[in-house]
Amino acid sequence: MSKIIVEGGTRLEGEVQIDGAKNAVLPIVASSLLATEGVSKFYNVPNLSDVKIISELLESLGVKVSYNKDEKTLEVDATGKLKTEADFEFVSKMRASFLVMAPLLAREKSTKVSMPGGCAIGSRPIEQHLKGFELLGAEIIQDAGYVEAKAENGLQGTTIFFDFPSVGATQNVLMASCLSKGTTILENAAQEPEINDMIKFLRKMGAKISGEKTSRLVIEGVEKLVGAEHTIMPDRVEAATYMVAAAATKGNVLVKGARYEDNIALVAKMREMGITVEIVSDNDIRVTNDNDYLKPIDVKTLPHPGFLTDMQSIIMVLTLLAKGVSTVTETVFENRFMHVEELKRMNAKIRIEGRSSIIEGPNTLEGTRVKATDLRAGAALIIAGLIAHGKTTIRNIYHIDRGYVDIESKFNNLGAKIERVEE
Ligand code: UD1
């Protein structure tokens, strides 16, 4: 087991390059299973453990996958006959594995995928995915931890209303409807930028989709889809991590690959706190902060374009530095405050009331031993370590490696003192 040791008290300065988005690449690679002809090639693919898992899952289905680490490219050849069962081994390691369900159902007419179950941040049900498949004409059987879906005569387009704009359900049902007969309309669809990136790729494959960036997607089914090339969008949560770290350390950092369009809520909240956020170009944001104290804020996580739940723990570290009371309310996941107990171990004054965390600032953090409770909570603890006195030791860092490429060298290039120690 490895751990990360952060020495606090450094100021971040310089430039950092953001990698491709984990939450875009996983669903997009799953969607490349829809191609019965042609090879797909992806650029800007981050070297992450989750990308390795989705690649292994695809290989287990009979797909040829090759990743070039230096070029950050991934090729997927799904043109052969595919196996249709996705095993517990993969889905239990990574929930996004459930996204192979739609392409397998749509092209092979039947599939059996292990149910994802809960995780550290909540129960995470899948009924919106299954409702969508059923309305498209699939028969769904849930038994012994597996979901089986069958549509011997193919899927038929229809109108589907999501009770909640679920990112995964929108992606799964969108993929299935691309090969359904006739027109499918998805109402109350999620509008996250990663969904728009998937739509761009599906269109290159030959899919007919309109309504992108809105809650109403209209899909005209096509007979077949072919492999295509696509550059994965930059990771907006990785960008947020360095933007917040720059502000927290009273630094000056150019975040290359941070796009204002994908980070509107975050930029607004940082500016509300008194931080200078400069939109340098469509792809670059500079963050500078020389305030002794920040202003308190109220943050509420919501589906896009609201404040992204994945950035909740990260912005919470910034509120620790504000003079006054801030609130952070989580409405997307039921149990996403596990990091609060860890931050409290570092002397943070936070209390949880229902779905809200109430943060009394300003706080002086002390380095101690903490553990990453999930991926983004792990990143939040690194930022907390940067502003704490002394050393912070973070365990369970396998969570962090799921979503951050070279995190310690990227931080160290900005002047941080972070070390990974193998135990
Ligand atoms: C994706 C992201 C995750 C992010 C989340 C919300 C990936 C790989 N993961 O997860 O990082 O935090 O979007 O932006 O892209 N729900 C139901 N029923 C369903 C589906 C979802 O009740 O059928 C609930 C979930 O339990 C959760 C909420 O809806 O409370 C949001 O889930 P969803 O938008 O589906 O998130 P994911 O696609 O799992």
Side-chain angles (χ1 to χ4, degrees), residues 23 96 124-129 164 166-168 308-310 332-333 336:
N23 285 355
R124 302 186 80 164
I126 47 165
E127 86 290 344
Q128 298 301 309
H129 303 234
F164 178 90
S166 153
V167 175
L308 178 62
T309 169
D310 292 9
V332 177
F333 287 103
R336 208 169 193 176

Side-chain angles (χ1 to χ4, degrees), residues 16-80:
V16 60
Q17 179 64 51
I18 298 309
D19 269 271
K22 173 182 89 74
N23 285 355
V25 74
L26 300 176
I28 289 174
V29 167
S31 75
S32 68
L33 284 180
L34 288 162
T36 40
E37 284 174 24
V39 175
S40 295
K41 185 166 183 181
F42 302 105
Y43 299 89
N44 199 29
V45 176
N47 186 16
L48 297 172
S49 56
D50 271 9
V51 172
K52 201 164 169 253
I53 295 173
I54 192 103
S55 302
E56 286 168 2
L57 166 58
L58 262 53
E59 281 169 345
S60 80
L61 300 171
V63 177
K64 289 186 207 123
V65 186
S66 67
Y67 182 56
N68 185 320
K69 202 168 94 183
D70 300 324
E71 291 177 3
K72 297 186 182 175
T73 57
L74 184 85
E75 286 191 359
V76 179
D77 179 352
T79 53

Side-chain angles (χ1 to χ4, degrees), residues 175-235:
M175 287 187 268
S177 54
C178 288
L179 290 181
S180 300
K181 292 185 199 94
T183 308
T184 304
I185 300 173
L186 304 184
E187 300 281 12
N188 200 23
Q191 302 171 55
E192 267 65 7
E194 292 77 14
I195 293 180
N196 190 43
D197 210 32
M198 177 189 246
I199 292 174
K200 284 184 188 165
F201 174 63
L202 289 169
R203 280 187 180 144
K204 290 175 191 167
M205 294 174 90
K208 294 203 172 121
I209 305 166
S210 58
E212 73 274 18
K213 298 187 186 175
T214 76
S215 61
R216 184 172 200 259
L217 297 174
V218 181
I219 304 105
E220 296 293 337
V222 294
E223 287 279 314
K224 65 166 187 198
L225 293 168
V226 296
E229 297 199 351
H230 185 70
T231 302
I232 303 296
M233 66 176 279
D235 197 307

Side-chain angles (χ1 to χ4, degrees), residues 61-312:
L61 300 171
V63 177
K64 289 186 207 123
V65 186
S66 67
Y67 182 56
N68 185 320
K69 202 168 94 183
D70 300 324
E71 291 177 3
K72 297 186 182 175
T73 57
L74 184 85
E75 286 191 359
V76 179
D77 179 352
T79 53
K81 176 80 188 146
L82 300 187
K83 288 193 198 122
T84 55
E85 189 166 329
D87 201 62
F88 175 74
E89 184 202 336
F90 296 104
V91 188
S92 64
K93 271 193 215 152
M94 187 185 72
R95 292 180 45 86
S97 306
F98 195 68
L99 292 169
V100 300
M101 184 135 202
L104 292 175
L105 171 64
R107 70 175 263 186
E108 302 292 331
K109 317 276 185 248
S110 87
T111 178
K112 189 173 169 186
V113 179
S114 171
M115 279 165 74
C119 71
I121 57 175
S123 71
R124 302 186 80 164
I126 47 165
E127 86 290 344
Q128 298 301 309
H129 303 234
L130 302 185
K131 173 174 95 170
F133 296 148
E134 247 172 350
L135 288 169
L136 290 172
E139 185 196 346
I140 306 286
I141 303 156
Q142 294 186 63
D143 186 34
Y146 278 81
V147 186
E148 218 178 323
K150 286 185 203 158
E152 275 154 31
N153 300 320
L155 298 169
Q156 179 67 50
T158 185
T159 296
I160 296 161
F161 172 77
F162 292 113
D163 297 332
F164 178 90
S166 153
V167 175
T170 301
Q171 290 166 332
N172 238 336
V173 181
L174 169 65
M175 287 187 268
S177 54
C178 288
L179 290 181
S180 300
K181 292 185 199 94
T183 308
T184 304
I185 300 173
L186 304 184
E187 300 281 12
N188 200 23
Q191 302 171 55
E192 267 65 7
E194 292 77 14
I195 293 180
N196 190 43
D197 210 32
M198 177 189 246
I199 292 174
K200 284 184 188 165
F201 174 63
L202 289 169
R203 280 187 180 144
K204 290 175 191 167
M205 294 174 90
K208 294 203 172 121
I209 305 166
S210 58
E212 73 274 18
K213 298 187 186 175
T214 76
S215 61
R216 184 172 200 259
L217 297 174
V218 181
I219 304 105
E220 296 293 337
V222 294
E223 287 279 314
K224 65 166 187 198
L225 293 168
V226 296
E229 297 199 351
H230 185 70
T231 302
I232 303 296
M233 66 176 279
D235 197 307
R236 60 194 172 116
V237 194
E238 192 194 13
T241 304
Y242 292 101
M243 286 166 66
V244 165
T249 61
K250 293 175 84 176
N252 177 347
V253 175
L254 179 67
V255 186
K256 297 176 76 73
R259 302 202 298 208
Y260 175 64
E261 205 195 326
D262 299 340
N263 286 291
I264 293 173
L266 174 73
V267 170
K269 284 293 156 187
M270 290 180 76
R271 284 179 173 162
E272 236 179 80
M273 297 186 90
I275 297 156
T276 306
V277 184
E278 190 191 338
I279 315 304
V280 179
S281 74
D282 287 350
N283 260 312
D284 302 307
I285 294 181
R286 179 179 292 282
V287 174
T288 43
N289 177 28
D290 51 18
N291 297 291
D292 281 333
Y293 295 111
L294 296 171
K295 294 185 195 121
I297 47 165
D298 297 311
V299 179
K300 189 189 241 182
T301 66
L302 285 168
H304 195 77
F307 193 92
L308 178 62
T309 169
D310 292 9
M311 299 178 186
Q312 181 253 103

